[in-house]
Each structure stands twice: as structure tokens, then as C-alpha cells.
Amino acid sequence: MTSDSFAPAPLPAVSLPGRTALVTGGGSGIGRACALALAGAGATVHVVDRDGETAKAVAGETGGQPHVVDLADPAAVDTLPTAVDILINNAGLQHVAPLTEFPPERFELIQRVMVTAPFLLLRRTLPHMYAGRWGRVVNVSSVHGLRASPYKSAYVAAKHALEGLSKVAALEGAPYGVTSNCVNPGYVRTPLVEGQIRDQAAAHGIAPDQVLADVLLARSPVKRLLEADEVAAAVLWLCAPHAASVTGVSLPLDGGWTAG
Ligand code: NAD
């Protein structure tokens, strides 16, 4: 055997023509990056967001359809398309407070947007995927789907619930060629995270780089923020034909946080 035998074949580019994707929270950040990546691979994209301006902007960029919907409202979720081959459950929100002071209505809202809406969307779209014997569900979870942090009770509870939902969808979808997986980012560079870094640097009188390394990324051996495009690349990979046997997993993109 020559060494050439070990030369890997070039990886095929992910190609999804004829597939229809629905991305929640598609107007911003990770969702926008996913919508662009899926459209770049040839999929038709439904961009769902409660923010009409951004939903329309991303739909314009992707040649897709905007849907201005508040995912906290089950009746509004019921208006979304059912003929979907690729479901990206991405929309999310955060609230930081100790358990003893956590507003119950905020806790409940976070469960509705981050657990109930993904469940309702699975319920709506799986019959189409089952009928076509092909489907991809990617749930944008978090390192907080696998680990807890103080003061984030609603978010950590919701992401852990999403992990369970994803695994059930993997088991039920397997006979129909439908996979369901989670991606689990650590901190991703978004305007919100950059604002947190600036505020903490000012509050503690330390350099932004030090806030990043010692505060936000204290538990991450890799001391850099992830880019939204890096998360989208993993999501796209999970949607590809070659990932047909990858199901029920959670893929940490966390700079080694969960290895510790
Ligand atoms: P983002 O705030 O940039 O985008 C979230 C999008 O969801 C926004 O466009 C917002 O309008 C939409 N949204 C929120 N509530 C909604 C509702 N009720 N109905 C419809 N749309 C709604 O945030 P992001 O950082 O891109 O986060 C996307 C996902 O990635 C979230 O689930 C988040 O938990 C997860 N995540 C983010 C990070 C990070 O560091 N940014 C890390 C790990 C996981």
C-alpha cells in the first residue's frame, strides 16, 4: 500500500437543492448565519423571527420567505409552514437572576420560546419529513444544555429540556430517515456578548481581553469567542447527506469547556 492510499478524498460540498428549511430566530446572530449557509447550499429558507425588519432583511439576503411570528404564541406557531425538510430550532433569549428573585413569568416565557415552540414545530413538520423519508432537525442548544451556571435557571432548564426533546425526535425519526441533533456553542461573538465585555471591563477597570479570558471564558481552555459562521458550519454539516447516521448527539463547540 502506498502512502497515496491514505490521501483522503476531497469532502463534497454540502448540496441541498430542492430542500426547504425553516430557521427560527433567523433574523439575527446564529440563526442568520444558519439561514445564509443553508441558502448557500441551495435550500429554500423560511426565516422566522418576531423582529419583522431583520426577518425581512435575511429573507432578502437568502431569497427566502420571512415570517414575523412570536414563538411564545402557540396560535402564531400554527401559521408557519409544515412542508419543511430541515428544521433549525434556534430562537432563544436569556434572563440572569438568582433563583430566589427569578420572575416566574420570565421563566415561563423562556420555556415557551425555547422548549414548547420547538416541540410544536416538530409536531407540525415531522409528518412532511416522514412522508419524504428524509429530514434534518438541528437544535441550537448551548454549553448550558450540558452544564449549569448560577443565575441562569430558566435558560439552563430550557436548554436541558431541548436536549431531551432532540433525543426523542432522533429515536422516533430514525425509521423515516430523519435525524435530530443538538449543537452546543460556548460564547459566540454577538452584539450582546461584545456589550457584556465592554461593560465588565469598565466595571472592573480591566482590559477587554482580560474580561474575555478571566470572566466569560474562565471555564473554556480555548480563550476566544466563537463566530456565528462556525456554528452555522456545524449545523450545515449535520444537514448533509453524509450525516445520515449522526443522530441523537450533542456537538459541543465550546473550546473544551465540557471536557473539564
Ligand atoms: P440573537 O439574540 O442574536 O438572535 C436570537 C433571535 O431570536 C433574534 O433575532 C430574536 O428576535 C429571535 N427571537 C427571540 N425570541 C423570539 C420569539 N419569542 N419569537 C420569535 N423570535 C424570537 O441570539 P444568538 O446569540 O444568535 O442566539 C441564537 C441561539 O443560540 C439561542 O438559542 C441561544 O441560546 C443560542 N446560543 C447563543 C450563544 C451566544 O453566546 N450568543 C451561545 C450558546 C447558544
Side-chain angles (χ1 to χ4, degrees), residues 111-139:
Q111 309 314 308
R112 261 193 284 151
V113 175
M114 293 168 57
V115 185
T116 305
F119 157 72
L120 292 173
L121 285 168
L122 280 166
R123 206 168 172 278
R124 283 179 71 68
T125 58
L126 284 176
H128 173 85
M129 298 186 211
Y130 290 176
R133 317 294 293 183
W134 193 93
R136 295 286 185 271
V137 179
V138 183
N139 299 298

mmCIF file of all heavy atoms in Angstrom, residues 111-139:
data_model
loop_
_atom_site.group_PDB
_atom_site.id
_atom_site.type_symbol
_atom_site.label_atom_id
_atom_site.label_comp_id
_atom_site.label_asym_id
_atom_site.label_seq_id
_atom_site.Cartn_x
_atom_site.Cartn_y
_atom_site.Cartn_z
ATOM 1 N N GLN A 111 -39.384 29.063 28.685
ATOM 2 C CA GLN A 111 -39.735 27.665 28.359
ATOM 3 C C GLN A 111 -40.613 27.626 27.097
ATOM 4 O O GLN A 111 -40.475 26.749 26.257
ATOM 5 C CB GLN A 111 -40.478 26.962 29.511
ATOM 6 C CG GLN A 111 -39.811 27.063 30.874
ATOM 7 C CD GLN A 111 -38.315 26.787 30.860
ATOM 8 O OE1 GLN A 111 -37.858 25.766 30.349
ATOM 9 N NE2 GLN A 111 -37.529 27.717 31.412
ATOM 10 N N ARG A 112 -41.513 28.624 26.980
ATOM 11 C CA ARG A 112 -42.425 28.625 25.819
ATOM 12 C C ARG A 112 -41.651 28.809 24.514
ATOM 13 O O ARG A 112 -41.893 28.113 23.538
ATOM 14 C CB ARG A 112 -43.469 29.733 25.973
ATOM 15 C CG ARG A 112 -44.775 29.207 26.504
ATOM 16 C CD ARG A 112 -45.875 30.233 26.365
ATOM 17 N NE ARG A 112 -45.726 31.263 27.379
ATOM 18 C CZ ARG A 112 -46.120 32.524 27.249
ATOM 19 N NH1 ARG A 112 -46.715 32.916 26.141
ATOM 20 N NH2 ARG A 112 -45.936 33.392 28.218
ATOM 21 N N VAL A 113 -40.704 29.761 24.518
ATOM 22 C CA VAL A 113 -39.966 30.060 23.279
ATOM 23 C C VAL A 113 -38.939 28.955 22.980
ATOM 24 O O VAL A 113 -38.749 28.577 21.821
ATOM 25 C CB VAL A 113 -39.262 31.434 23.396
ATOM 26 C CG1 VAL A 113 -38.383 31.705 22.172
ATOM 27 C CG2 VAL A 113 -40.290 32.545 23.578
ATOM 28 N N MET A 114 -38.292 28.440 24.024
ATOM 29 C CA MET A 114 -37.126 27.573 23.796
ATOM 30 C C MET A 114 -37.415 26.075 23.930
ATOM 31 O O MET A 114 -36.572 25.251 23.581
ATOM 32 C CB MET A 114 -35.988 27.994 24.734
ATOM 33 C CG MET A 114 -35.461 29.383 24.366
ATOM 34 S SD MET A 114 -34.363 30.147 25.576
ATOM 35 C CE MET A 114 -33.049 28.955 25.757
ATOM 36 N N VAL A 115 -38.615 25.719 24.439
ATOM 37 C CA VAL A 115 -38.977 24.287 24.554
ATOM 38 C C VAL A 115 -40.317 24.003 23.853
ATOM 39 O O VAL A 115 -40.392 23.135 22.983
ATOM 40 C CB VAL A 115 -39.064 23.836 26.039
ATOM 41 C CG1 VAL A 115 -39.321 22.328 26.105
ATOM 42 C CG2 VAL A 115 -37.802 24.190 26.799
ATOM 43 N N THR A 116 -41.356 24.766 24.229
ATOM 44 C CA THR A 116 -42.684 24.473 23.659
ATOM 45 C C THR A 116 -42.711 24.751 22.156
ATOM 46 O O THR A 116 -43.246 23.941 21.386
ATOM 47 C CB THR A 116 -43.781 25.281 24.387
ATOM 48 O OG1 THR A 116 -43.673 25.000 25.782
ATOM 49 C CG2 THR A 116 -45.170 24.876 23.908
ATOM 50 N N ALA A 117 -42.134 25.875 21.715
ATOM 51 C CA ALA A 117 -42.149 26.178 20.275
ATOM 52 C C ALA A 117 -41.391 25.106 19.472
ATOM 53 O O ALA A 117 -41.928 24.622 18.460
ATOM 54 C CB ALA A 117 -41.601 27.577 20.006
ATOM 55 N N PRO A 118 -40.177 24.697 19.893
ATOM 56 C CA PRO A 118 -39.530 23.586 19.169
ATOM 57 C C PRO A 118 -40.391 22.319 19.117
ATOM 58 O O PRO A 118 -40.467 21.654 18.081
ATOM 59 C CB PRO A 118 -38.236 23.353 19.956
ATOM 60 C CG PRO A 118 -37.908 24.707 20.520
ATOM 61 C CD PRO A 118 -39.248 25.318 20.855
ATOM 62 N N PHE A 119 -41.078 22.008 20.237
ATOM 63 C CA PHE A 119 -41.976 20.838 20.256
ATOM 64 C C PHE A 119 -43.107 21.005 19.241
ATOM 65 O O PHE A 119 -43.400 20.096 18.447
ATOM 66 C CB PHE A 119 -42.537 20.640 21.676
ATOM 67 C CG PHE A 119 -43.826 19.865 21.722
ATOM 68 C CD1 PHE A 119 -43.835 18.490 21.466
ATOM 69 C CD2 PHE A 119 -45.035 20.492 21.993
ATOM 70 C CE1 PHE A 119 -45.025 17.768 21.474
ATOM 71 C CE2 PHE A 119 -46.228 19.781 22.004
ATOM 72 C CZ PHE A 119 -46.222 18.420 21.744
ATOM 73 N N LEU A 120 -43.745 22.197 19.258
ATOM 74 C CA LEU A 120 -44.867 22.428 18.334
ATOM 75 C C LEU A 120 -44.392 22.380 16.883
ATOM 76 O O LEU A 120 -45.097 21.875 16.001
ATOM 77 C CB LEU A 120 -45.531 23.782 18.636
ATOM 78 C CG LEU A 120 -46.274 23.864 19.978
ATOM 79 C CD1 LEU A 120 -46.738 25.303 20.242
ATOM 80 C CD2 LEU A 120 -47.470 22.912 20.000
ATOM 81 N N LEU A 121 -43.184 22.894 16.630
ATOM 82 C CA LEU A 121 -42.666 22.884 15.252
ATOM 83 C C LEU A 121 -42.309 21.465 14.811
ATOM 84 O O LEU A 121 -42.526 21.096 13.650
ATOM 85 C CB LEU A 121 -41.452 23.822 15.144
ATOM 86 C CG LEU A 121 -41.839 25.307 15.149
ATOM 87 C CD1 LEU A 121 -40.612 26.190 15.347
ATOM 88 C CD2 LEU A 121 -42.541 25.668 13.830
ATOM 89 N N LEU A 122 -41.789 20.656 15.730
ATOM 90 C CA LEU A 122 -41.542 19.245 15.395
ATOM 91 C C LEU A 122 -42.859 18.563 15.033
ATOM 92 O O LEU A 122 -42.956 17.838 14.044
ATOM 93 C CB LEU A 122 -40.907 18.525 16.590
ATOM 94 C CG LEU A 122 -39.407 18.736 16.789
ATOM 95 C CD1 LEU A 122 -38.990 18.252 18.171
ATOM 96 C CD2 LEU A 122 -38.620 17.997 15.708
ATOM 97 N N ARG A 123 -43.859 18.803 15.875
ATOM 98 C CA ARG A 123 -45.175 18.198 15.682
ATOM 99 C C ARG A 123 -45.749 18.575 14.311
ATOM 100 O O ARG A 123 -46.393 17.767 13.655
ATOM 101 C CB ARG A 123 -46.070 18.731 16.810
ATOM 102 C CG ARG A 123 -47.198 17.859 17.174
ATOM 103 C CD ARG A 123 -47.818 18.328 18.475
ATOM 104 N NE ARG A 123 -49.033 17.558 18.675
ATOM 105 C CZ ARG A 123 -50.189 17.846 18.105
ATOM 106 N NH1 ARG A 123 -50.301 18.908 17.355
ATOM 107 N NH2 ARG A 123 -51.228 17.065 18.309
ATOM 108 N N ARG A 124 -45.488 19.819 13.889
ATOM 109 C CA ARG A 124 -46.031 20.296 12.607
ATOM 110 C C ARG A 124 -45.250 19.774 11.402
ATOM 111 O O ARG A 124 -45.812 19.522 10.349
ATOM 112 C CB ARG A 124 -45.977 21.835 12.551
ATOM 113 C CG ARG A 124 -47.040 22.525 13.350
ATOM 114 C CD ARG A 124 -46.915 24.033 13.267
ATOM 115 N NE ARG A 124 -47.282 24.583 11.967
ATOM 116 C CZ ARG A 124 -48.510 24.595 11.467
ATOM 117 N NH1 ARG A 124 -49.488 24.063 12.145
ATOM 118 N NH2 ARG A 124 -48.759 25.127 10.293
ATOM 119 N N THR A 125 -43.921 19.696 11.537
ATOM 120 C CA THR A 125 -43.088 19.446 10.347
ATOM 121 C C THR A 125 -42.676 17.978 10.176
ATOM 122 O O THR A 125 -42.378 17.565 9.055
ATOM 123 C CB THR A 125 -41.811 20.321 10.391
ATOM 124 O OG1 THR A 125 -41.086 20.025 11.586
ATOM 125 C CG2 THR A 125 -42.155 21.808 10.351
ATOM 126 N N LEU A 126 -42.661 17.198 11.265
ATOM 127 C CA LEU A 126 -42.221 15.798 11.122
ATOM 128 C C LEU A 126 -43.075 14.986 10.137
ATOM 129 O O LEU A 126 -42.520 14.173 9.377
ATOM 130 C CB LEU A 126 -42.160 15.103 12.489
ATOM 131 C CG LEU A 126 -40.953 15.466 13.362
ATOM 132 C CD1 LEU A 126 -41.066 14.795 14.733
ATOM 133 C CD2 LEU A 126 -39.622 15.094 12.702
ATOM 134 N N PRO A 127 -44.423 15.187 10.095
ATOM 135 C CA PRO A 127 -45.190 14.379 9.134
ATOM 136 C C PRO A 127 -44.697 14.558 7.698
ATOM 137 O O PRO A 127 -44.615 13.569 6.942
ATOM 138 C CB PRO A 127 -46.627 14.901 9.308
ATOM 139 C CG PRO A 127 -46.675 15.378 10.740
ATOM 140 C CD PRO A 127 -45.308 15.966 10.992
ATOM 141 N N HIS A 128 -44.316 15.791 7.305
ATOM 142 C CA HIS A 128 -43.793 16.018 5.950
ATOM 143 C C HIS A 128 -42.450 15.285 5.780
ATOM 144 O O HIS A 128 -42.200 14.648 4.741
ATOM 145 C CB HIS A 128 -43.623 17.520 5.707
ATOM 146 C CG HIS A 128 -42.944 17.843 4.403
ATOM 147 N ND1 HIS A 128 -43.629 17.926 3.208
ATOM 148 C CD2 HIS A 128 -41.629 18.061 4.102
ATOM 149 C CE1 HIS A 128 -42.778 18.202 2.232
ATOM 150 N NE2 HIS A 128 -41.558 18.288 2.753
ATOM 151 N N MET A 129 -41.581 15.394 6.786
ATOM 152 C CA MET A 129 -40.279 14.710 6.685
ATOM 153 C C MET A 129 -40.470 13.190 6.615
ATOM 154 O O MET A 129 -39.823 12.506 5.821
ATOM 155 C CB MET A 129 -39.398 15.061 7.895
ATOM 156 C CG MET A 129 -39.051 16.541 8.014
ATOM 157 S SD MET A 129 -37.861 16.814 9.357
ATOM 158 C CE MET A 129 -38.308 18.457 9.899
ATOM 159 N N TYR A 130 -41.373 12.664 7.451
ATOM 160 C CA TYR A 130 -41.621 11.216 7.445
ATOM 161 C C TYR A 130 -42.127 10.775 6.060
ATOM 162 O O TYR A 130 -41.693 9.754 5.521
ATOM 163 C CB TYR A 130 -42.669 10.830 8.499
ATOM 164 C CG TYR A 130 -42.230 10.941 9.945
ATOM 165 C CD1 TYR A 130 -43.132 10.695 10.983
ATOM 166 C CD2 TYR A 130 -40.928 11.284 10.292
ATOM 167 C CE1 TYR A 130 -42.753 10.788 12.314
ATOM 168 C CE2 TYR A 130 -40.537 11.384 11.630
ATOM 169 C CZ TYR A 130 -41.461 11.142 12.631
ATOM 170 O OH TYR A 130 -41.093 11.232 13.943
ATOM 171 N N ALA A 131 -43.037 11.579 5.486
ATOM 172 C CA ALA A 131 -43.619 11.218 4.187
ATOM 173 C C ALA A 131 -42.543 11.182 3.108
ATOM 174 O O ALA A 131 -42.583 10.340 2.203
ATOM 175 C CB ALA A 131 -44.721 12.210 3.813
ATOM 176 N N GLY A 132 -41.537 12.099 3.214
ATOM 177 C CA GLY A 132 -40.463 12.136 2.216
ATOM 178 C C GLY A 132 -39.300 11.220 2.559
ATOM 179 O O GLY A 132 -38.305 11.167 1.818
ATOM 180 N N ARG A 133 -39.384 10.525 3.695
ATOM 181 C CA ARG A 133 -38.332 9.599 4.172
ATOM 182 C C ARG A 133 -36.985 10.317 4.286
ATOM 183 O O ARG A 133 -35.917 9.721 4.080
ATOM 184 C CB ARG A 133 -38.155 8.365 3.265
ATOM 185 C CG ARG A 133 -39.400 7.708 2.772
ATOM 186 C CD ARG A 133 -40.250 7.069 3.824
ATOM 187 N NE ARG A 133 -39.690 5.910 4.487
ATOM 188 C CZ ARG A 133 -40.353 5.201 5.414
ATOM 189 N NH1 ARG A 133 -41.582 5.543 5.759
ATOM 190 N NH2 ARG A 133 -39.793 4.178 5.996
ATOM 191 N N TRP A 134 -36.996 11.595 4.596
ATOM 192 C CA TRP A 134 -35.754 12.364 4.772
ATOM 193 C C TRP A 134 -36.064 13.597 5.616
ATOM 194 O O TRP A 134 -37.075 14.274 5.382
ATOM 195 C CB TRP A 134 -35.199 12.821 3.425
ATOM 196 C CG TRP A 134 -33.775 13.351 3.501
ATOM 197 C CD1 TRP A 134 -32.631 12.629 3.298
ATOM 198 C CD2 TRP A 134 -33.344 14.695 3.787
ATOM 199 N NE1 TRP A 134 -31.520 13.436 3.447
ATOM 200 C CE2 TRP A 134 -31.933 14.708 3.749
ATOM 201 C CE3 TRP A 134 -34.005 15.882 4.087
ATOM 202 C CZ2 TRP A 134 -31.167 15.859 3.988
ATOM 203 C CZ3 TRP A 134 -33.251 17.034 4.333
ATOM 204 C CH2 TRP A 134 -31.855 17.015 4.279
ATOM 205 N N GLY A 135 -35.196 13.891 6.553
ATOM 206 C CA GLY A 135 -35.363 15.127 7.322
ATOM 207 C C GLY A 135 -34.160 15.371 8.219
ATOM 208 O O GLY A 135 -33.402 14.444 8.545
ATOM 209 N N ARG A 136 -33.977 16.645 8.556
ATOM 210 C CA ARG A 136 -32.901 17.052 9.455
ATOM 211 C C ARG A 136 -33.461 18.037 10.469
ATOM 212 O O ARG A 136 -34.078 19.039 10.078
ATOM 213 C CB ARG A 136 -31.765 17.743 8.674
ATOM 214 C CG ARG A 136 -31.027 16.833 7.685
ATOM 215 C CD ARG A 136 -30.107 15.875 8.429
ATOM 216 N NE ARG A 136 -29.304 15.080 7.531
ATOM 217 C CZ ARG A 136 -29.664 13.902 7.023
ATOM 218 N NH1 ARG A 136 -30.843 13.365 7.310
ATOM 219 N NH2 ARG A 136 -28.842 13.241 6.235
ATOM 220 N N VAL A 137 -33.246 17.732 11.735
ATOM 221 C CA VAL A 137 -33.604 18.668 12.801
ATOM 222 C C VAL A 137 -32.305 19.029 13.511
ATOM 223 O O VAL A 137 -31.547 18.125 13.916
ATOM 224 C CB VAL A 137 -34.583 18.027 13.816
ATOM 225 C CG1 VAL A 137 -34.913 19.014 14.939
ATOM 226 C CG2 VAL A 137 -35.844 17.542 13.109
ATOM 227 N N VAL A 138 -32.012 20.316 13.587
ATOM 228 C CA VAL A 138 -30.850 20.744 14.378
ATOM 229 C C VAL A 138 -31.347 21.743 15.418
ATOM 230 O O VAL A 138 -31.975 22.759 15.081
ATOM 231 C CB VAL A 138 -29.729 21.371 13.520
ATOM 232 C CG1 VAL A 138 -28.532 21.708 14.416
ATOM 233 C CG2 VAL A 138 -29.293 20.431 12.396
ATOM 234 N N ASN A 139 -31.072 21.416 16.662
ATOM 235 C CA ASN A 139 -31.480 22.252 17.781
ATOM 236 C C ASN A 139 -30.263 23.022 18.271
ATOM 237 O O ASN A 139 -29.256 22.414 18.663
ATOM 238 C CB ASN A 139 -32.048 21.359 18.884
ATOM 239 C CG ASN A 139 -33.265 20.592 18.400
ATOM 240 O OD1 ASN A 139 -34.276 21.183 18.037
ATOM 241 N ND2 ASN A 139 -33.145 19.261 18.337
#
